[in-house]
Amino acid sequence: MVAKSYAKINLFLKIVGKTQINNTSYHLLQSRFMRVASLYDTLGFNFNAKEFSLVGDFDCLTEQNTIYKAFIVLLPYVSKEQVKALNHTQIVVQKKIPSGGGLGGGSSNAACFLQVVNRELNLGLDKATLMEIGAKVGSDVPFFISDLELANVEGRGEIITPYNAESKFDIEVITPNVHCSTAEVFRLYAKEFYSTSAIVQTQMESWLQKSNAEILNNNAFSNNDLLKPLLRLHSELESYCQKGVFLSGSGSCFWKKCNAIEYAAKHKEAQ
């Protein structure tokens, strides 16, 4: 069987604090995610393979792949018979979502894997448990498991609140040929841009209550706290910072709103 693994964009991304978990420091965020229906990877599943395997053009070792990580984290949640079934699963991945672009491709792949094997192999896990598993794989995975098109996201990404789906809009994704490291961007942000006074100001601005129209009226720097450290690391991306163009997540991809006619024409060209 074949399943679609969709991309997402961040309408905004604001850092609102830090936390320590198992002696590891994490940034706490507030963001709004929107699923991108026109951009997705394709995952093909074979449940009669000799062993668990991944096939695809990946830019990392198998052990670092989010699907493999999801497979490993999933095992303690299922029975011995279900583990046997999982061990005969092959996943063939066709990538369309740019790696390092801030569009959540790896997280989406992990979520898609968890949802499909849960359904097709009758693992019997509810959505809350799948989201718990997903959170151990990556911060964006719970959003994709939620199946929401538009949601406010908090904490490290595990707190998901539906947002008015009727306020979604068509976008064009802009994909520079640049791979950005999330870890490097956050590391530089923590070192040179993190400010307690800025955090207090951000919390007072009530970003989660802002309408999409308000967000679209801002500039890219106001909407995404990671844009400045990103440009420090990749100055070649500065030319994309134009009016009405916004950064998604911590990667190199930008997006802009487009009307229905523009969207239809762009989507037709891509087919």
Side-chain angles (χ1 to χ4, degrees), residues 20 28 43 54 75 77 96 117 119 129 134 154 192 225 228 240 254:
Q20 284 273 341
L28 299 174
L43 273 61
L54 298 174
L75 296 180
Y77 288 81
K96 291 288 183 67
V117 296
R119 181 179 66 247
T129 303
E154 300 175 77
E192 299 190 23
D225 288 344
K228 288 182 179 179
Y240 293 92
F254 294 78

Side-chain angles (χ1 to χ4, degrees), residues 144-158:
F144 290 108
I145 292 176
S146 76
D147 284 328
L148 294 170
E149 293 185 82
L150 195 59
N152 284 335
V153 178
E154 300 175 77
R156 292 190 298 119
E158 78 282 7

